[in-house]
Coordinates of all heavy atoms in Angstrom, one line a residue:
M25 N 0.8 -1.2 0.0 CA 0.1 0.0 0.0 C 0.9 1.3 0.0 O 1.8 1.4 0.8 CB -0.9 0.0 1.2 CG -1.6 1.3 1.5 SD -2.9 1.2 2.8 CE -1.9 0.8 4.2
A26 N 0.6 2.2 -1.0 CA 1.4 3.4 -1.0 C 1.0 4.3 0.0 O -0.3 4.4 0.3 CB 1.2 4.0 -2.4
Q27 N 1.8 5.3 0.5 CA 1.4 6.2 1.4 C 2.2 7.5 1.1 O 3.4 7.5 0.8 CB 1.8 5.8 2.9 CG 1.5 6.8 3.8 CD 1.3 6.3 5.3 OE1 1.2 5.1 5.5 NE2 1.3 7.2 6.2
C28 N 1.6 8.6 1.3 CA 2.1 9.9 1.0 C 2.0 10.7 2.4 O 1.0 10.6 3.1 CB 1.4 10.8 0.0 SG 1.8 12.4 -0.1
T29 N 3.1 11.3 2.9 CA 3.3 12.1 4.1 C 3.5 13.6 3.9 O 4.4 13.8 3.1 CB 4.3 11.5 5.1 OG1 3.9 10.1 5.3 CG2 4.2 12.3 6.3
I30 N 2.6 14.4 4.3 CA 2.8 15.9 4.2 C 3.2 16.2 5.7 O 2.4 16.2 6.6 CB 1.4 16.5 3.8 CG1 1.1 16.1 2.5 CG2 1.7 18.1 4.0 CD1 -0.2 16.5 2.0
G31 N 4.5 16.4 5.8 CA 5.1 16.7 7.2 C 5.0 17.9 7.8 O 4.5 18.9 7.1
P32 N 5.4 18.1 9.0 CA 5.3 19.3 9.8 C 6.0 20.4 9.1 O 7.1 20.2 8.5 CB 5.9 19.0 11.2 CG 5.9 17.4 11.3 CD 6.0 17.0 9.9
G33 N 5.4 21.6 9.1 CA 6.1 22.7 8.4 C 5.7 22.8 6.9 O 6.2 23.9 6.3
I34 N 5.0 21.9 6.4 CA 4.7 21.9 4.9 C 3.2 22.4 4.9 O 2.4 22.0 5.5 CB 4.8 20.5 4.3 CG1 6.2 19.9 4.4 CG2 4.3 20.5 2.9 CD1 7.2 20.7 3.7
V35 N 3.0 23.3 3.9 CA 1.7 23.9 3.6 C 1.4 23.5 2.2 O 2.1 23.9 1.3 CB 1.6 25.4 3.9 CG1 0.2 25.9 3.5 CG2 1.9 25.6 5.4
V36 N 0.2 22.9 1.9 CA -0.3 22.6 0.6 C -1.5 23.3 0.4 O -2.5 23.2 1.2 CB -0.5 21.0 0.4 CG1 -1.0 20.8 -1.0 CG2 0.9 20.3 0.7
N37 N -1.7 24.1 -0.6 CA -2.9 24.8 -1.0 C -3.3 24.3 -2.4 O -2.5 24.3 -3.4 CB -2.6 26.3 -1.2 CG -2.4 27.0 0.1 OD1 -3.3 27.0 0.9 ND2 -1.3 27.6 0.4
G38 N -4.5 23.8 -2.5 CA -5.0 23.2 -3.9 C -5.7 22.0 -3.7 O -6.3 21.7 -2.7
R39 N -5.6 21.1 -4.8 CA -6.3 19.9 -4.9 C -5.4 18.8 -4.8 O -4.4 18.7 -5.4 CB -7.1 19.8 -6.1 CG -7.9 18.6 -6.3 CD -8.9 18.7 -7.5 NE -9.6 17.5 -7.8 CZ -10.6 17.1 -7.1 NH1 -11.1 17.7 -6.1 NH2 -11.2 15.8 -7.4
I40 N -5.6 17.8 -3.9 CA -4.9 16.5 -3.8 C -5.8 15.4 -4.3 O -6.9 15.3 -3.7 CB -4.3 16.3 -2.3 CG1 -3.4 17.4 -1.9 CG2 -3.7 14.9 -2.2 CD1 -3.1 17.3 -0.5
T41 N -5.3 14.6 -5.2 CA -6.0 13.3 -5.6 C -5.0 12.2 -5.7 O -3.9 12.4 -5.8 CB -6.7 13.6 -7.0 OG1 -5.6 13.8 -7.9 CG2 -7.6 14.8 -7.0
G42 N -5.6 11.1 -5.5 CA -4.8 9.9 -5.6 C -5.3 8.6 -5.1 O -6.5 8.6 -4.6
S43 N -4.6 7.5 -5.2 CA -5.0 6.2 -4.8 C -4.2 5.7 -3.5 O -4.2 4.5 -3.2 CB -5.0 5.2 -5.8 OG -3.7 5.1 -6.4
A44 N -3.4 6.6 -2.9 CA -2.6 6.2 -1.8 C -3.2 6.7 -0.5 O -4.1 7.6 -0.5 CB -1.2 6.7 -2.0
T45 N -2.8 6.2 0.6 CA -3.2 6.8 2.0 C -2.3 8.1 2.1 O -1.1 8.1 1.8 CB -2.7 5.8 3.1 OG1 -3.5 4.7 2.9 CG2 -2.9 6.5 4.4
V46 N -3.0 9.1 2.6 CA -2.3 10.4 2.8 C -2.3 10.8 4.3 O -3.4 10.7 4.8 CB -3.0 11.6 1.9 CG1 -2.4 13.0 2.3 CG2 -2.8 11.3 0.4
S47 N -1.2 11.1 4.8 CA -1.0 11.3 6.2 C -0.5 12.9 6.3 O 0.5 13.2 5.7 CB 0.0 10.4 6.8 OG 0.2 10.8 8.2
V48 N -1.3 13.6 7.0 CA -1.0 15.1 7.1 C -0.6 15.4 8.6 O -1.3 15.2 9.5 CB -2.2 15.9 6.8 CG1 -2.1 17.5 6.9 CG2 -2.8 15.6 5.4
S49 N 0.7 15.9 8.6 CA 1.2 16.4 9.9 C 1.4 17.8 9.7 O 1.7 18.5 10.8 CB 2.5 15.8 10.2 OG 2.3 14.3 10.5
G50 N 1.3 18.5 8.5 CA 1.5 19.9 8.3 C 0.1 20.6 8.1 O -0.8 20.2 8.9
R51 N 0.0 21.2 7.0 CA -1.4 22.0 6.7 C -1.8 21.8 5.3 O -1.0 21.9 4.4 CB -1.2 23.5 7.1 CG -2.5 24.2 6.9 CD -2.3 25.7 7.3 NE -3.6 26.5 7.2 CZ -4.4 26.6 8.2 NH1 -4.3 26.1 9.4 NH2 -5.6 27.3 8.0
V52 N -3.0 21.4 5.1 CA -3.6 21.3 3.8 C -4.8 22.1 3.6 O -5.7 22.0 4.6 CB -3.9 19.8 3.4 CG1 -4.6 19.7 2.0 CG2 -2.7 18.9 3.4
E53 N -5.0 23.0 2.6 CA -6.1 23.8 2.3 C -6.6 23.5 1.0 O -5.8 23.6 0.0 CB -5.7 25.3 2.6 CG -5.4 25.7 4.0 CD -4.9 27.1 4.2 OE1 -5.1 27.9 3.2 OE2 -4.5 27.5 5.2
G54 N -7.9 23.3 0.8 CA -8.4 23.1 -0.6 C -9.4 21.9 -0.7 O -10.2 21.9 0.1
T55 N -9.0 21.0 -1.6 CA -9.9 19.8 -1.8 C -8.9 18.5 -1.7 O -7.9 18.6 -2.3 CB -10.7 19.8 -3.0 OG1 -9.9 19.9 -4.2 CG2 -11.8 21.0 -3.0
I56 N -9.6 17.4 -1.2 CA -8.8 16.2 -1.3 C -9.8 15.1 -1.7 O -10.8 15.0 -1.1 CB -8.3 15.8 0.1 CG1 -7.3 16.9 0.7 CG2 -7.6 14.4 0.2 CD1 -7.0 16.8 2.2
A57 N -9.3 14.3 -2.8 CA -10.1 13.3 -3.2 C -9.2 12.0 -3.3 O -8.3 11.9 -4.1 CB -10.7 13.5 -4.6
L58 N -9.5 11.0 -2.5 CA -8.6 9.8 -2.3 C -9.4 8.6 -2.5 O -10.5 8.5 -2.1 CB -7.9 9.8 -1.0 CG -7.1 11.0 -0.6 CD1 -6.6 10.9 0.8 CD2 -5.9 11.1 -1.6
D59 N -8.8 7.5 -3.1 CA -9.3 6.2 -3.2 C -9.0 5.3 -2.0 O -9.4 4.2 -1.8 CB -8.8 5.5 -4.4 CG -9.3 6.0 -5.8 OD1 -10.4 6.7 -5.7 OD2 -8.5 5.9 -6.7
D60 N -8.1 6.0 -1.1 CA -7.7 5.3 0.1 C -8.0 6.1 1.3 O -9.0 6.9 1.3 CB -6.2 4.9 0.0 CG -5.8 3.6 0.8 OD1 -6.5 3.4 1.9 OD2 -4.8 3.2 0.4
E61 N -7.2 6.1 2.3 CA -7.5 6.8 3.6 C -6.8 8.1 3.8 O -5.6 8.3 3.2 CB -7.0 5.9 4.8 CG -7.2 6.5 6.1 CD -6.9 5.5 7.3 OE1 -6.2 4.5 7.0 OE2 -7.4 5.7 8.4
L62 N -7.4 9.1 4.4 CA -6.8 10.3 4.8 C -6.6 10.2 6.4 O -7.6 9.9 7.1 CB -7.7 11.4 4.5 CG -7.2 12.9 5.2 CD1 -6.0 13.3 4.5 CD2 -8.3 13.9 4.9
I63 N -5.4 10.6 6.9 CA -5.2 10.6 8.3 C -4.6 12.0 8.6 O -3.6 12.4 8.0 CB -4.1 9.6 8.7 CG1 -4.5 8.2 8.3 CG2 -3.7 9.6 10.2 CD1 -3.4 7.1 8.3
V64 N -5.3 12.7 9.4 CA -4.9 14.0 9.9 C -4.3 13.8 11.3 O -4.9 13.5 12.3 CB -6.1 14.9 10.1 CG1 -5.6 16.3 10.5 CG2 -6.9 15.1 8.7
E65 N -2.9 13.8 11.3 CA -2.1 13.4 12.5 C -2.2 14.5 13.6 O -2.7 15.6 13.2 CB -0.7 13.3 12.1 CG -0.4 12.2 11.1 CD -0.6 10.8 11.5 OE1 -0.8 10.6 12.8 OE2 -0.5 9.9 10.7
D66 N -1.9 14.2 14.8 CA -1.8 15.1 15.9 C -1.0 16.3 15.4 O 0.2 16.0 15.0 CB -1.2 14.5 17.2 CG -1.4 15.3 18.4 OD1 -2.3 16.2 18.4 OD2 -0.7 15.2 19.4
G67 N -1.4 17.5 15.5 CA -0.7 18.6 15.0 C -0.9 19.0 13.6 O -0.6 20.1 13.2
G68 N -1.5 18.1 12.8 CA -1.9 18.4 11.4 C -3.2 19.2 11.4 O -4.0 19.1 12.3
V69 N -3.3 20.0 10.3 CA -4.5 20.8 10.1 C -5.0 20.7 8.6 O -4.1 20.8 7.7 CB -4.2 22.4 10.4 CG1 -5.4 23.2 10.0 CG2 -3.7 22.5 11.8
V70 N -6.2 20.3 8.5 CA -6.8 20.2 7.1 C -8.1 21.1 7.2 O -8.9 21.0 7.9 CB -7.2 18.7 6.8 CG1 -7.9 18.7 5.5 CG2 -6.0 17.9 6.7
V71 N -7.9 22.1 6.2 CA -9.2 23.0 5.9 C -9.5 22.6 4.5 O -9.0 23.2 3.5 CB -8.8 24.4 6.1 CG1 -10.0 25.3 5.9 CG2 -8.2 24.7 7.5
A72 N -10.5 21.7 4.3 CA -10.8 21.3 2.9 C -12.2 20.5 2.9 O -12.7 20.1 3.9 CB -9.7 20.3 2.5
D73 N -12.5 20.3 1.7 CA -13.7 19.4 1.4 C -13.0 18.1 0.9 O -12.0 18.0 0.1 CB -14.5 19.9 0.3 CG -15.2 21.2 0.7 OD1 -15.5 21.3 1.9 OD2 -15.6 22.0 -0.1
V74 N -13.3 17.0 1.6 CA -12.7 15.7 1.5 C -13.6 14.6 1.0 O -14.7 14.5 1.6 CB -12.0 15.3 2.9 CG1 -11.5 13.9 2.8 CG2 -10.9 16.2 3.2
E75 N -13.2 13.8 0.1 CA -13.8 12.6 -0.3 C -12.7 11.5 -0.2 O -11.8 11.6 -0.8 CB -14.4 12.6 -1.7 CG -15.6 13.5 -1.8 CD -16.2 13.4 -3.2 OE1 -15.9 12.4 -3.9 OE2 -16.9 14.3 -3.6
A76 N -13.0 10.4 0.6 CA -12.0 9.3 0.7 C -12.7 8.1 1.1 O -13.8 8.0 1.4 CB -11.0 9.7 1.8
E77 N -11.9 7.0 1.1 CA -12.4 5.7 1.5 C -12.7 5.7 3.0 O -13.8 5.3 3.4 CB -11.4 4.5 1.2 CG -11.8 3.2 1.6 CD -13.0 2.6 0.9 OE1 -13.4 3.1 -0.3 OE2 -13.8 1.8 1.4
S78 N -11.7 6.2 3.8 CA -12.0 6.4 5.2 C -11.2 7.7 5.6 O -10.2 8.2 5.0 CB -11.6 5.2 6.1 OG -10.2 4.9 5.8
V79 N -11.5 8.3 6.8 CA -10.9 9.5 7.3 C -10.7 9.3 8.8 O -11.7 8.9 9.5 CB -11.7 10.8 7.0 CG1 -11.0 12.0 7.6 CG2 -12.0 10.9 5.6
T80 N -9.4 9.5 9.3 CA -9.1 9.4 10.6 C -8.5 10.8 11.1 O -7.6 11.2 10.4 CB -8.2 8.3 10.9 OG1 -8.7 7.1 10.6 CG2 -7.9 8.2 12.5
V81 N -9.2 11.4 12.2 CA -8.5 12.7 12.6 C -8.1 12.6 14.0 O -8.8 12.3 14.9 CB -9.7 13.8 12.4 CG1 -9.1 15.2 12.8 CG2 -10.3 13.8 11.0
Y82 N -6.8 12.9 14.2 CA -6.2 13.1 15.5 C -6.0 14.6 15.8 O -5.9 15.0 16.9 CB -4.8 12.4 15.5 CG -4.9 10.9 15.4 CD1 -4.7 10.3 14.2 CD2 -5.2 10.1 16.5 CE1 -4.8 9.0 14.0 CE2 -5.2 8.7 16.4 CZ -5.0 8.1 15.0 OH -5.1 6.9 14.9
G83 N -5.8 15.4 14.6 CA -5.5 16.8 14.7 C -6.7 17.7 14.6 O -7.7 17.6 15.3
T84 N -6.6 18.6 13.6 CA -7.7 19.7 13.4 C -8.2 19.6 12.0 O -7.4 19.5 11.0 CB -7.1 21.1 13.7 OG1 -6.7 21.1 15.0 CG2 -8.2 22.1 13.5
F85 N -9.5 19.6 11.9 CA -10.1 19.5 10.6 C -11.3 20.5 10.5 O -12.0 20.6 11.4 CB -10.7 18.1 10.2 CG -11.4 18.0 8.9 CD1 -10.7 17.5 7.8 CD2 -12.7 18.3 8.8 CE1 -11.3 17.4 6.6 CE2 -13.3 18.2 7.5 CZ -12.6 17.7 6.5
E86 N -11.3 21.3 9.4 CA -12.5 22.1 9.1 C -12.9 22.0 7.6 O -12.0 22.0 6.8 CB -12.0 23.6 9.4 CG -13.0 24.6 9.2 CD -12.6 26.0 9.6 OE1 -11.7 26.2 10.4 OE2 -13.2 27.0 8.9
G87 N -14.1 21.8 7.5 CA -14.7 21.5 6.1 C -15.8 20.5 6.1 O -16.4 20.1 7.1
T88 N -15.9 19.8 5.0 CA -16.9 18.7 4.9 C -16.0 17.4 4.6 O -15.1 17.5 3.8 CB -17.8 18.9 3.8 OG1 -17.2 19.1 2.5 CG2 -18.7 20.1 4.0
M89 N -16.4 16.3 5.1 CA -15.8 15.1 4.8 C -16.8 14.1 4.5 O -17.8 14.0 5.2 CB -14.8 14.6 6.0 CG -15.4 14.3 7.2 SD -14.2 13.6 8.4 CE -13.7 15.1 9.1
Q90 N -16.4 13.3 3.4 CA -17.4 12.2 3.0 C -16.5 11.0 2.7 O -15.6 11.0 2.0 CB -18.0 12.7 1.6 CG -19.1 11.8 1.2 CD -19.8 12.4 0.0 OE1 -20.5 13.6 0.2 NE2 -19.8 12.0 -1.2
A91 N -16.9 9.9 3.5 CA -16.1 8.7 3.4 C -17.1 7.5 2.9 O -18.2 7.4 3.3 CB -15.5 8.3 4.7
R92 N -16.5 6.7 2.2 CA -17.2 5.5 1.6 C -17.3 4.4 2.7 O -18.2 3.7 2.7 CB -16.6 4.9 0.4 CG -16.8 5.8 -0.8 CD -16.0 5.3 -2.0 NE -14.6 5.5 -2.0 CZ -13.9 6.6 -2.2 NH1 -14.5 7.7 -2.4 NH2 -12.5 6.5 -2.0
D93 N -16.4 4.4 3.8 CA -16.5 3.5 4.8 C -16.6 4.0 6.1 O -17.7 4.1 6.6 CB -15.1 2.6 4.8 CG -15.1 1.5 5.7 OD1 -16.2 0.9 6.0 OD2 -14.1 1.1 6.2
T94 N -15.6 4.6 6.7 CA -15.6 5.1 8.1 C -14.9 6.4 8.4 O -13.9 6.7 7.7 CB -14.8 4.0 9.1 OG1 -15.3 2.8 8.9 CG2 -14.9 4.4 10.5
V95 N -15.5 7.2 9.2 CA -14.9 8.4 9.7 C -14.7 8.2 11.2 O -15.5 7.8 12.0 CB -15.7 9.7 9.5 CG1 -15.3 10.9 10.3 CG2 -15.8 10.0 8.0
R96 N -13.4 8.5 11.6 CA -13.1 8.3 13.1 C -12.5 9.7 13.6 O -11.4 10.1 13.1 CB -12.0 7.2 13.4 CG -11.6 7.0 14.8 CD -10.6 5.9 15.0 NE -11.1 4.6 14.5 CZ -11.7 3.8 15.4 NH1 -11.8 4.0 16.7 NH2 -12.0 2.7 14.9
L97 N -13.2 10.2 14.6 CA -12.7 11.4 15.2 C -12.1 11.0 16.6 O -12.9 10.6 17.5 CB -13.9 12.4 15.4 CG -14.7 12.7 14.1 CD1 -15.8 13.7 14.6 CD2 -13.9 13.1 13.0
C98 N -10.8 11.1 16.7 CA -10.0 10.5 17.8 C -10.0 11.5 19.0 O -10.2 12.7 18.8 CB -8.7 10.2 17.4 SG -8.7 8.9 16.2
S99 N -9.8 11.0 20.1 CA -9.7 11.8 21.3 C -8.6 12.9 21.1 O -7.5 12.6 20.7 CB -9.3 10.9 22.6 OG -9.2 11.7 23.7
G100 N -8.9 14.2 21.5 CA -8.0 15.2 21.2 C -8.2 15.9 20.0 O -7.6 17.0 19.7
S101 N -9.0 15.4 19.1 CA -9.1 16.0 17.7 C -10.2 17.2 17.9 O -11.0 17.2 18.8 CB -9.7 15.1 16.7 OG -10.9 14.6 17.0
T102 N -10.1 18.2 16.9 CA -11.0 19.2 16.8 C -11.6 19.2 15.4 O -10.7 19.4 14.4 CB -10.4 20.6 17.1 OG1 -9.9 20.5 18.5 CG2 -11.4 21.8 17.1
V103 N -12.9 19.0 15.2 CA -13.5 19.0 13.9 C -14.6 20.0 13.8 O -15.6 19.9 14.7 CB -14.0 17.5 13.6 CG1 -14.7 17.5 12.2 CG2 -12.8 16.6 13.5
T104 N -14.7 20.8 12.8 CA -15.7 21.7 12.5 C -16.3 21.5 11.1 O -15.4 21.6 10.2 CB -15.3 23.1 12.7 OG1 -14.8 23.3 14.0 CG2 -16.5 24.1 12.5
G105 N -17.4 21.0 11.0 CA -18.0 20.8 9.6 C -18.9 19.6 9.6 O -19.2 19.0 10.6
D106 N -19.3 19.3 8.3 CA -20.3 18.2 8.2 C -19.5 16.8 7.9 O -18.5 16.9 7.1 CB -21.3 18.5 7.1 CG -22.1 19.7 7.5 OD1 -22.2 20.0 8.7 OD2 -22.7 20.3 6.6
V107 N -20.1 15.7 8.4 CA -19.5 14.4 8.1 C -20.5 13.5 7.5 O -21.6 13.4 8.1 CB -19.0 13.8 9.5 CG1 -18.6 12.4 9.4 CG2 -18.0 14.7 10.2
R108 N -20.2 12.8 6.4 CA -21.1 11.8 5.8 C -20.3 10.6 5.6 O -19.2 10.6 5.0 CB -21.5 12.3 4.4 CG -22.3 13.6 4.5 CD -22.9 14.0 3.1 NE -23.8 12.9 2.6 CZ -24.1 12.7 1.4 NH1 -23.6 13.4 0.4 NH2 -25.0 11.7 1.1
A109 N -20.7 9.5 6.2 CA -20.2 8.2 6.1 C -21.2 7.1 6.7 O -22.0 7.5 7.5 CB -18.9 8.1 6.9
P110 N -21.0 5.9 6.2 CA -21.9 4.9 6.7 C -21.6 4.6 8.2 O -22.5 4.2 9.0 CB -21.5 3.6 5.8 CG -20.9 4.2 4.5 CD -20.3 5.4 5.0
R111 N -20.3 4.7 8.5 CA -19.9 4.5 10.0 C -19.1 5.7 10.5 O -18.2 6.1 9.8 CB -19.1 3.3 10.1 CG -19.9 2.1 9.8 CD -19.0 0.8 10.1 NE -17.7 0.8 9.4 CZ -17.1 -0.1 9.0 NH1 -17.5 -1.4 9.3 NH2 -16.0 0.0 8.3
V112 N -19.7 6.3 11.5 CA -19.0 7.5 12.2 C -18.6 7.1 13.7 O -19.5 6.7 14.3 CB -19.8 8.7 12.1 CG1 -19.2 9.8 12.7 CG2 -20.2 9.1 10.6
I113 N -17.4 7.3 14.0 CA -16.9 7.0 15.4 C -16.3 8.3 15.9 O -15.5 8.8 15.5 CB -15.9 5.9 15.4 CG1 -16.3 4.6 14.8 CG2 -15.4 5.6 16.8 CD1 -15.3 3.6 14.3
I114 N -17.0 8.7 17.1 CA -16.6 9.9 17.8 C -16.1 9.5 19.1 O -17.0 9.1 19.9 CB -17.7 10.9 17.8 CG1 -18.1 11.3 16.4 CG2 -17.1 12.1 18.5 CD1 -19.3 12.3 16.4
E115 N -14.9 9.4 19.3 CA -14.2 9.0 20.6 C -14.4 10.1 21.7 O -14.6 11.3 21.4 CB -12.8 8.7 20.5 CG -12.4 7.6 19.6 CD -11.0 7.3 19.5 OE1 -10.1 8.0 20.0 OE2 -10.6 6.3 18.7
E116 N -14.5 9.6 23.0 CA -14.5 10.5 24.1 C -13.4 11.4 24.1 O -12.2 11.0 23.9 CB -14.6 9.7 25.4 CG -14.8 10.5 26.6 CD -14.9 9.8 27.8 OE1 -15.2 8.6 27.8 OE2 -14.7 10.4 29.0
G117 N -13.6 12.7 24.3 CA -12.5 13.7 24.3 C -12.3 14.4 22.8 O -11.6 15.3 22.7
A118 N -13.0 13.9 21.9 CA -13.0 14.6 20.5 C -13.9 15.7 20.7 O -14.9 15.7 21.3 CB -13.5 13.6 19.4
R119 N -13.6 16.9 19.9 CA -14.5 18.0 19.9 C -15.0 18.1 18.5 O -14.2 18.1 17.5 CB -13.7 19.2 20.3 CG -13.3 19.3 21.8 CD -12.7 20.6 22.2 NE -11.4 20.7 21.5 CZ -10.6 21.7 21.7 NH1 -10.9 22.7 22.4 NH2 -9.5 21.8 21.1
F120 N -16.2 18.2 18.4 CA -17.0 18.2 17.1 C -18.2 19.2 17.1 O -18.9 19.2 17.9 CB -17.5 16.8 16.8 CG -18.4 16.7 15.6 CD1 -17.8 16.8 14.3 CD2 -19.7 16.3 15.7 CE1 -18.7 16.8 13.1 CE2 -20.5 16.3 14.5 CZ -20.0 16.6 13.3
R121 N -18.2 20.0 16.0 CA -19.3 20.8 15.7 C -19.7 20.8 14.3 O -18.9 21.1 13.4 CB -18.9 22.4 16.0 CG -20.1 23.3 15.6 CD -19.8 24.7 16.0 NE -19.8 24.7 17.5 CZ -19.3 25.8 18.2 NH1 -18.8 26.8 17.5 NH2 -19.3 25.8 19.5
G122 N -20.9 20.3 14.0 CA -21.4 20.1 12.7 C -22.5 19.1 12.7 O -23.0 18.7 13.7
D123 N -22.8 18.6 11.4 CA -23.8 17.6 11.3 C -23.2 16.3 10.8 O -22.2 16.3 10.2 CB -24.8 18.1 10.1 CG -25.6 19.3 10.5 OD1 -25.9 19.4 11.7 OD2 -25.9 20.2 9.7
V124 N -24.0 15.3 11.2 CA -23.5 13.9 10.8 C -24.7 13.3 10.0 O -25.8 13.3 10.4 CB -23.3 13.0 12.1 CG1 -23.0 11.5 11.6 CG2 -22.1 13.5 12.8
D125 N -24.3 12.8 8.8 CA -25.2 12.1 7.9 C -24.7 10.6 7.7 O -23.7 10.4 7.0 CB -25.4 12.8 6.6 CG -26.4 12.2 5.6 OD1 -26.9 11.0 6.0 OD2 -26.7 12.8 4.7
M126 N -25.4 9.6 8.3 CA -24.9 8.2 8.1 C -25.8 7.5 7.1 O -25.6 6.3 6.9 CB -24.9 7.6 9.4 CG -24.0 8.2 10.4 SD -24.0 7.5 12.1 CE -23.4 5.9 11.8
D127 N -26.8 8.1 6.4 CA -27.5 7.4 5.4 C -27.0 7.9 4.0 O -27.6 8.8 3.4 CB -29.0 7.9 5.5 CG -29.9 7.1 4.6 OD1 -29.6 6.1 4.1 OD2 -31.0 7.6 4.3
V128 N -25.9 7.3 3.7 CA -25.1 7.8 2.5 C -25.2 6.7 1.3 O -24.9 5.6 1.6 CB -23.6 8.0 2.9 CG1 -22.8 8.4 1.7 CG2 -23.6 9.1 4.1
Q129 N -25.5 7.2 0.2 CA -25.3 6.4 -1.0 C -24.3 7.0 -1.9 O -24.4 8.1 -2.5 CB -26.7 6.4 -1.8 CG -27.8 5.7 -1.2 CD -27.5 4.2 -1.0 OE1 -26.9 3.6 -1.8 NE2 -27.8 3.7 0.2
M130 N -23.1 6.5 -1.9 CA -21.9 7.0 -2.5 C -22.0 6.6 -4.1 O -22.3 5.4 -4.2 CB -20.6 6.6 -1.9 CG -20.4 7.2 -0.5 SD -20.1 8.8 -0.4 CE -18.5 8.8 -1.1
P131 N -21.6 7.3 -4.9 CA -21.5 7.0 -6.3 C -20.3 5.9 -6.5 O -19.4 5.9 -5.7 CB -21.1 8.2 -7.1 CG -20.6 9.2 -6.1 CD -21.2 8.8 -4.8
A132 N -20.5 5.0 -7.4 CA -19.5 4.0 -7.6 C -18.2 4.4 -8.2 O -18.2 5.4 -8.9 CB -20.1 2.8 -8.4

């Protein structure tokens, strides 16, 4: 499985697309469309509209996220925006402000 890491101190503005897992420890602003997983690491910041197989947030996320499988908001994360996924997990200690839609029909 391929993986891309956007490290601390790196800022990406624009559109990220691909079929690899993307791990963000820096900052991403724009749109993200992945065939695999997006991981927002502790200290990472994503301000974007996201479509991915799954999304896991340890850091900060602002925008809309849509996953074909699972969204996990981990303890210590801060999320502002709307979440759409068949499975949504919000751990104790996660901060979330937005709407959750779990009745999702994703395009093939």
Side-chain angles (χ1 to χ4, degrees):
M25 169 173 62
Q27 182 163 341
C28 171
T29 301
I30 299 169
I34 302 296
V35 177
V36 176
N37 289 297
R39 180 169 175 80
I40 296 173
T41 62
S43 58
T45 295
V46 174
S47 175
V48 178
S49 295
R51 182 177 181 93
V52 174
E53 299 177 2
T55 59
I56 301 172
L58 301 173
D59 294 333
D60 209 337
E61 182 177 14
L62 172 67
I63 303 168
V64 183
E65 302 289 355
D66 188 26
V69 177
V70 172
V71 180
D73 293 329
V74 172
E75 290 183 19
E77 181 66 25
S78 61
V79 179
T80 303
V81 182
Y82 297 96
T84 302
F85 180 93
E86 183 177 328
T88 60
M89 67 175 86
Q90 188 167 297
R92 289 177 290 281
D93 187 30
T94 305
V95 167
R96 178 183 297 270
L97 310 182
C98 299
S99 179
S101 67
T102 302
V103 176
T104 304
D106 296 338
V107 175
R108 294 186 66 199
R111 293 186 305 209
V112 177
I113 301 161
I114 303 175
E115 294 181 359
E116 184 176 343
R119 291 186 293 180
F120 172 67
R121 175 177 290 165
D123 293 324
V124 174
D125 183 353
M126 295 176 66
D127 185 20
V128 178
Q129 293 297 322
M130 298 287 289

